[in-house]
Amino acid sequence: MATQELHHGNEKIGIIGSDSMGQSWAILFAWAGYRVCVFDPESAHVMTVFTEICKWVKELDADGATRRNRTVDDTLERISVTNSLTDCVTDSIYIQECLPGDSSLRSEILKQVDGVMGADTIVGSSGMTLPSLLSADLTNRRRFLTAHPVDPLIYTTCVELVPAPWTATESCDRTSQLMANIGQTPVMLLREQEGFAACGIESAILEAGYQLIKDGVCDVADVETGMTEGLGMWYWCMGMFDVQHLNRNGWQDFCIRGGDMVLGIQKDINFFERMGGDTARNIEKDLSVHVPLDQLQKGRRWRDRRLSSLIKFKNTLEQRDSQDGDI
């Protein structure tokens, strides 16, 4: 059977869940020209979500953070909200589920979606739950997968596509194309794995930094500096394997010359200790010096502005590389 494409156009997208994640997805799809219908099982949320989206779209436009040359009015005209799950799902080519962590609620809503979704509709879940745990009992489980974005979704493009063992290849291919259509960068996992890809890598970095602090090797500020002024200077533009591929005479040269060093470091770090206790409290105490707990939202705005600026800078560099014929 030929792959049915999800064309970039005026098709309908259903969003289930209206918190910041659901609102982010709605804005991205609307920016890309899709019609978006947002549903939330909490009727109180439905009453306020469109006002919140309006405010956010206007702020993003004022900050120059939009990804497409689409006006505020045109963007908002493409977004509607409903308290009817059936209205949200009907005629949607794709459903993005963004419900909070209550797995029982998510499972119940997905069963309802399963009963009314179209014959070609695909369902993606934004959460970290393995897709096999959510879709095992669904009639249309071949068209179900996880589509997990890296936060904050508006300012980052990576989205991990994770199939259950029974997810059809066509469903993965169509979802990958759809994500590319809206400006996301899909990372396609070949099978489901706890932590997926990005979170698995992040967990290893967090554990290594945590052990350096716990063992008295570095304080919090210096571990953070090692990331922002060291590794982060590489990783914003290339992956970890590319870094060593370029630093050495290819990746295999790094494995030959640096493999024993890496293995020794890995053996020396306890990667199987749960973070917590006095070490976790001391880390938070140090972090709170520059971002107190009651000012986290201010810190998030600072982060988002930096990410927005980085996106613009990366786009400029990519355009220049394309014109110059660079890698």
Side-chain angles (χ1 to χ4, degrees):
M1 178 179 178
T3 299
Q4 179 182 354
E5 293 186 353
L6 293 176
H7 296 286
H8 181 179
N10 199 41
E11 294 91 346
K12 178 183 174 184
I13 303 294
I15 306 293
I16 299 177
S18 65
D19 62 5
S20 61
M21 178 68 71
Q23 293 179 31
S24 297
W25 280 116
I27 293 170
L28 287 180
F29 279 111
W31 275 345
Y34 293 92
R35 293 180 294 112
V36 183
C37 184
V38 181
F39 163 81
D40 197 289
E42 296 290 336
S43 58
H45 294 172
V46 175
M47 299 294 291
T48 61
V49 63
F50 190 74
T51 300
E52 294 171 2
I53 291 175
C54 288
K55 180 181 177 182
W56 199 5
V57 169
K58 292 175 182 177
E59 290 174 351
L60 292 167
D61 183 72
D63 291 341
T66 59
R67 297 194 195 172
R68 308 290 175 114
N69 293 322
R70 195 173 296 282
T71 66
V72 170
D73 289 343
D74 188 20
T75 301
L76 295 176
E77 285 174 0
R78 296 176 179 275
I79 301 174
S80 63
V81 298
T82 181
N83 58 8
S84 168
L85 180 63
T86 300
D87 288 349
C88 175
V89 174
T90 300
D91 297 328
S92 291
I93 61 169
Y94 178 80
I95 306 294
Q96 186 72 41
E97 174 269 309
C98 313
L99 294 170
D102 185 347
S103 59
S104 61
L105 173 63
R106 179 179 286 113
S107 297
E108 178 57 35
I109 293 293
L110 289 175
K111 287 179 182 178
Q112 295 178 40
V113 172
D114 190 38
V116 297
M117 62 190 285
D120 295 312
T121 304
I122 295 173
V123 179
S125 175
S126 297
M128 289 291 295
T129 304
L130 294 177
S132 62
L133 299 179
L134 293 173
S135 62
D137 298 327
L138 301 182
T139 301
N140 296 294
R141 65 182 192 172
R142 287 176 57 80
R143 286 181 280 124
F144 183 92
L145 73 164
T146 288
H148 174 256
V150 173
D151 284 334
L153 173 56
I154 285 289
Y155 301 101
T156 56
T157 64
C158 177
V159 56
E160 300 172 300
L161 304 182
V162 188
W166 42 77
T167 304
T169 301
E170 179 188 7
S171 299
C172 296
D173 292 342
R174 291 171 62 198
T175 305
S176 180
Q177 180 191 1
L178 177 64
M179 292 300 150
N181 285 348
I182 66 172
Q184 294 302 99
T185 306
V187 173
M188 188 73 241
L189 273 69
L190 302 179
R191 62 179 177 84
E192 60 180 15
Q193 164 77 33
E194 289 284 0
F196 306 156
C199 188
I201 296 168
E202 179 188 34
S203 296
I205 293 173
L206 285 171
E207 183 62 30
Y210 178 85
Q211 291 298 333
L212 287 171
I213 294 166
K214 181 181 179 183
D215 294 345
V217 178
C218 292
D219 62 19
V220 175
D222 284 331
V223 171
E224 297 286 76
T225 299
M227 282 298 301
T228 59
E229 305 302 319
L231 299 180
M233 300 295 284
W234 287 332
Y235 291 162
W236 79 267
C237 62
M238 65 181 72
M240 67 191 81
F241 298 116
D242 260 339
V243 167
Q244 301 304 338
H245 184 65
L246 297 179
N247 282 352
R248 303 289 187 175
N249 295 316
W251 170 251
Q252 291 194 77
D253 180 57
F254 171 75
C255 292
I256 293 169
R257 297 168 61 185
D260 288 340
M261 175 194 71
V262 173
L263 180 61
I265 293 172
Q266 290 171 334
K267 288 181 177 179
D268 193 49
I269 297 176
N270 178 11
F271 276 104
F272 301 100
E273 178 179 346
R274 192 183 191 285
M275 294 182 287
D278 290 340
T279 302
R281 283 189 287 271
N282 290 335
I283 291 173
E284 183 170 283
K285 180 181 178 180
D286 285 357
L287 294 174
S288 297
V289 171
H290 59 93
V291 185
L293 293 180
D294 60 358
Q295 295 185 29
L296 288 177
Q297 193 58 36
K298 182 178 180 181
R300 292 174 187 133
R301 288 194 296 269
W302 175 91
R303 172 203 65 190
D304 292 348
R305 287 195 299 270
R306 294 301 187 278
L307 289 172
S308 179
S309 297
L310 180 58
I311 289 173
K312 297 174 188 176
F313 181 58
K314 288 182 68 175
N315 288 339
T316 300
L317 289 182
E318 288 169 4
Q319 291 173 4
R320 185 185 304 167
D321 290 344
S322 178
Q323 293 170 357
D324 294 345
D326 291 341
I327 293 176

